Amino acid sequence: MPTLDKKSFVAAIAAQYGRRLRRFLSVRLRNVEDVPELAQEVFLRLLRVERHEAIRNPEAYLLTVASHVIHQHALRQAASPAFVAIAEAASELTISDGDDPVAKADNAQRIEHLEAFLSKLPPRVAAALVLHRVSGFTVQEVADQLGVRRETAKRYLARAAQYCRDRRVGGVEAAGDAAKVMERD
């Protein structure tokens, strides 16, 4: 490539390899909506390169930078806890108890036990459990919702199931109440 200033260099790279970069990103990302943002990040990083004229193979360099951007994106996604609103899930747990104050109090107490029980689990494991048992999501839907692979979602659910079994064996009542609330007919 002839000697160009940084902006011209990046513009030339974008014109020549932009389509290849977007394809590269879309194949490796779970959420295709992230492709434009990550492609922009790749080009911004190219603008920060001090000696762009020393790059011998621009396509390889571009894809290497893209790999680093994908890796950092995955780390950010993993670090941010999955958010499942317990209040929303709890609305699915409520039974039509009419005006019976005893049933309302019992239901509120079970929801409190469930929240306490879930707070002892790692956030993603608790989220997977709520999505699967309360909201009725399949394992694949749980994985999609949490932005993880299916195998990872299965591992989260297995960990949650083991936690529930351990608490039942240990005689902890909160686990029993939480299990009753989470049971589906």
Side-chain angles (χ1 to χ4, degrees):
M1 240 181 200
T3 304
L4 302 169
D5 67 337
K6 283 183 184 182
K7 289 181 183 178
S8 300
F9 170 74
V10 173
I13 295 291
Q16 190 169 1
Y17 303 112
R19 188 177 209 181
R20 168 90 169 96
L21 173 65
R22 286 187 297 281
R23 196 171 337 120
F24 180 85
L25 292 171
S26 64
V27 166
R28 286 161 179 78
L29 292 172
R30 284 193 155 274
N31 190 357
V32 181
E33 288 82 30
D34 291 338
V35 170
E37 179 184 339
L38 294 183
Q40 182 179 13
E41 176 64 27
V42 170
F43 291 126
L44 286 172
R45 288 185 185 195
L46 285 178
L47 279 173
R48 290 188 225 131
V49 172
E50 290 298 321
R51 296 183 48 226
H52 63 271
E53 62 277 351
I55 298 172
R56 289 188 209 122
N57 186 342
E59 181 180 18
Y61 190 83
L62 177 76
L63 297 180
T64 300
V65 171
S67 294
H68 292 285
V69 168
I70 290 170
H71 179 71
Q72 288 180 338
H73 176 71
L75 290 175
R76 278 192 309 272
Q77 294 292 95
S80 65
F83 178 74
V84 175
I86 297 296
E88 284 181 30
S91 70
E92 295 177 25
L93 296 174
T94 57
I95 54 175
S96 61
D97 49 18
D99 293 327
D100 185 16
V102 174
K104 284 182 179 179
D106 184 49
N107 197 31
Q109 185 178 21
R110 285 183 176 197
I111 290 172
E112 283 179 30
H113 283 257
L114 176 62
E115 288 175 343
F117 181 75
L118 291 174
S119 70
K120 295 175 183 157
L121 289 170
R124 288 183 172 267
V125 173
L129 182 63
V130 169
L131 289 171
H132 185 64
R133 299 291 293 182
V134 176
S135 299
F137 283 31
T138 65
V139 175
Q140 185 60 53
E141 290 170 334
V142 170
D144 293 342
Q145 187 73 24
L146 297 177
V148 296
R149 294 186 352 230
R150 186 175 193 279
E151 294 77 23
T152 305
K154 284 173 70 174
R155 215 172 338 162
Y156 289 161
L157 291 169
R159 188 172 173 190
Q162 184 61 49
Y163 185 80
C164 290
R165 280 192 296 275
D166 291 348
R167 293 308 161 275
R168 275 194 219 143
V169 170
V172 176
E173 281 301 312
D177 286 345
K180 286 179 196 171
V181 170
M182 291 185 291
E183 285 178 5
R184 300 179 57 119
D185 293 333

